[in-house]
Amino acid sequence: MFSHILCALLCMLQDLPVVRSMWDEWWTYDGISGPSRWGSYNTEWELCDKGRFQSPIDINPASIVFDPNLQSLNITNEKIDGVVMNTGHDIRVSLNKSHGHRINITGGPLSYKYSVFQIKLHLGTADDKGSEHKVAGKSFPAEIQLLAYNSELYANVTHAKKSPYGIAVVAVLAVLKDLGNQHFSALVRAAGKLNSKGLSTDLYKFSLSEILPTTMTYMTYEGSLTQPGCQETVTWVILNRPMYISSYQLEKLRELTRGNGIGDPLMENNFRPVQPDNRRLVRTNIPIKEEPDCTIKKTTSYIVNDKLKPS
Ligand SMILES: *[C@@H]1O[C@H](CO)[C@@H](O)[C@H](O)[C@H]1NC(C)=O
Ligand SMILES: *[C@@H]1O[C@H](CO)[C@@H](O)[C@H](O)[C@H]1NC(C)=O
Ligand SMILES: *[C@@H]1O[C@H](CO)[C@@H](O)[C@H](O)[C@H]1NC(C)=O
Ligand SMILES: *[C@@H]1O[C@H](CO)[C@@H](O)[C@H](O)[C@H]1NC(C)=O
């Protein structure tokens, strides 16, 4: 009886605009509001449960297909100004709108021009986890994602997220090395000031090109956003070389909390578990010649089945 009343009350509250926005933030990476429950909390998040094109996925190197039509990716080489924020779910940099459209992504598997609007960091509590995507069942200690929206077709991010070919995400997997990427330290230092949820700080002249590995090879597939509402409008581009991150940089990020500061739960393991690939194709432009230091080392080549060959 009581639970019915409580439910009715909650459902009623959910319809109020103010409470609704609070409700929108009420999801986590563990416990009763964790990834396996996202789809049942909000009808707008149904795809988190029901979608067949969900991300992240575990990339199986043996089933990647080499696609000679894939062009190289073109990312504008400009420094960015933005606001770094601890959202309680992640650390993200939102590019200032007034400086919008400064970083465009074209080429690669993309048929439209995409403009970067956000950079997100995903990490874990230990070095053997943290990335959202896996390669051959293996996780990486962190994943940096550049989120961009289709600025040729859509006026804003909200609209693009719900629309065909709306979003492109360029993901970089991080690998531990004694000397981490020095340019990444600027972001780590900024994040270091944000020990509790809701805090934000400005970041000036952050160089994306200095943190991205110099590679033209990548893997690509069609998937979704990895946070609610899991919209299936994302073309993923996973660069084939990692970024280097030091233990010190990683530790600094792991110290951040998703509450009100010291003593509150740490912002840890903020990655969504891998989702079924449902026979989706992962394409690559990684040439047959092996590159040193890449996340994927080998590709299969296309072999004609003898039985099907015209005689
Ligand atoms: C990359 O972008 C630059 C600047 O917009 C442009 O001049 C160049 O042609 C592009 N290259 C490719 C391969 O798309
Ligand atoms: C970004 O814009 C906000 C206001 O929209 C401003 O307060 C902030 O200083 C700007 N930050 C940077 C890094 O330009
Ligand atoms: C990026 O694309 C936008 C929208 O098409 C355009 O206004 C802007 O000039 C482009 N920026 C660069 C650096 O090419
Ligand atoms: C986003 O664009 C759509 C369609 O152009 C428009 O209806 C909507 O008001 C815009 N939303 C925001 C937040 O600007």
Side-chain angles (χ1 to χ4, degrees):
M1 182 60 198
F2 178 71
S3 67
H4 283 100
I5 295 169
L6 189 65
C7 175
L9 195 66
L10 284 175
C11 299
M12 217 171 68
L13 284 174
Q14 211 182 341
D15 289 336
L16 297 171
V18 177
V19 180
R20 184 53 187 265
S21 70
M22 186 186 80
W23 200 263
D24 282 353
E25 289 305 310
W26 201 70
W27 56 271
T28 58
Y29 280 101
D30 56 14
I32 58 155
S33 45
S36 63
R37 311 288 288 275
W38 292 349
S40 45
Y41 275 123
N42 185 328
T43 47
E44 285 175 23
W45 300 351
E46 265 176 4
L47 279 174
C48 300
D49 267 354
K50 296 185 177 163
R52 300 266 163 82
F53 291 80
Q54 291 292 294
S55 295
I57 58 170
D58 180 5
I59 295 169
N60 174 5
S63 59
I64 299 181
V65 173
F66 175 69
D67 182 350
N69 296 313
L70 286 173
Q71 302 175 338
S72 59
L73 198 65
N74 201 354
I75 305 180
T76 320
N77 178 10
E78 266 202 64
K79 294 194 160 97
I80 58 165
D81 292 341
V83 177
V84 192
M85 184 167 186
N86 175 343
T87 64
H89 300 306
D90 52 43
I91 293 294
R92 62 178 66 172
V93 185
S94 295
L95 272 63
N96 257 19
K97 282 221 183 68
S98 51
H99 308 248
H101 295 321
R102 285 203 5 195
I103 308 284
N104 292 326
I105 305 178
T106 51
L110 309 171
S111 302
Y112 297 97
K113 185 195 294 178
Y114 290 76
S115 301
V116 178
F117 62 95
Q118 217 160 52
I119 303 163
K120 272 186 199 164
L121 305 184
H122 296 273
L123 54 139
T125 45
D127 298 346
D128 63 353
K129 57 184 169 185
S131 66
E132 298 214 285
H133 287 87
K134 292 185 181 185
V135 176
K138 185 178 169 292
S139 294
F140 293 75
E143 178 169 333
I144 292 104
Q145 298 173 349
L146 267 57
L147 284 78
Y149 77 101
N150 184 333
S151 53
E152 269 187 69
L153 293 186
Y154 307 116
N156 54 53
V157 176
T158 319
H159 190 193
K161 275 185 182 173
K162 300 179 195 160
S163 310
Y165 302 105
I167 304 287
V169 185
V170 174
V172 186
L173 300 163
V175 164
L176 272 175
K177 206 173 190 183
D178 289 346
L179 201 59
N181 183 308
Q182 288 311 294
H183 299 273
F184 185 64
S185 294
L187 181 49
V188 175
R189 269 195 306 275
K193 298 179 198 161
L194 313 175
N195 193 33
S196 64
K197 180 180 166 173
L199 290 181
S200 62
T201 185
D202 285 346
L203 182 69
Y204 293 102
K205 306 242 173 296
F206 183 64
S207 176
L208 268 184
S209 60
E210 301 282 2
I211 66 163
L212 294 177
T214 50
T215 180
M216 282 300 132
T217 55
Y218 56 81
M219 295 160 276
T220 180
Y221 76 98
E222 298 299 318
S224 74
L225 293 170
T226 59
Q227 294 177 334
C230 309
Q231 290 92 339
E232 296 181 333
T233 50
V234 183
T235 301
W236 281 90
V237 179
I238 300 161
L239 299 185
N240 186 41
R241 286 194 197 202
M243 186 196 100
Y244 294 116
I245 188 169
S246 69
S247 312
Y248 176 81
Q249 290 173 330
L250 206 48
E251 281 310 321
K252 283 284 155 204
L253 294 171
R254 283 178 184 154
E255 282 170 9
L256 303 176
T257 77
R258 54 181 148 118
N260 299 317
I262 295 164
D264 272 321
L266 295 174
M267 183 174 356
E268 51 193 22
N269 295 333
N270 64 352
F271 54 90
R272 186 186 191 195
V274 290
Q275 305 293 307
D277 65 19
N278 295 321
R279 305 182 305 280
R280 258 176 292 174
L281 188 62
V282 180
R283 294 180 295 152
T284 186
N285 67 343
I286 304 171
I288 307 301
K289 189 168 68 69
E290 292 188 4
E291 281 188 71
D293 238 7
C294 51
T295 49
I296 283 271
K297 288 233 160 48
K298 203 168 149 226
T299 67
T300 52
S301 54
Y302 183 80
I303 299 167
V304 176
N305 183 338
D306 277 340
K307 289 181 192 128
L308 298 177
K309 261 187 193 162
S311 49

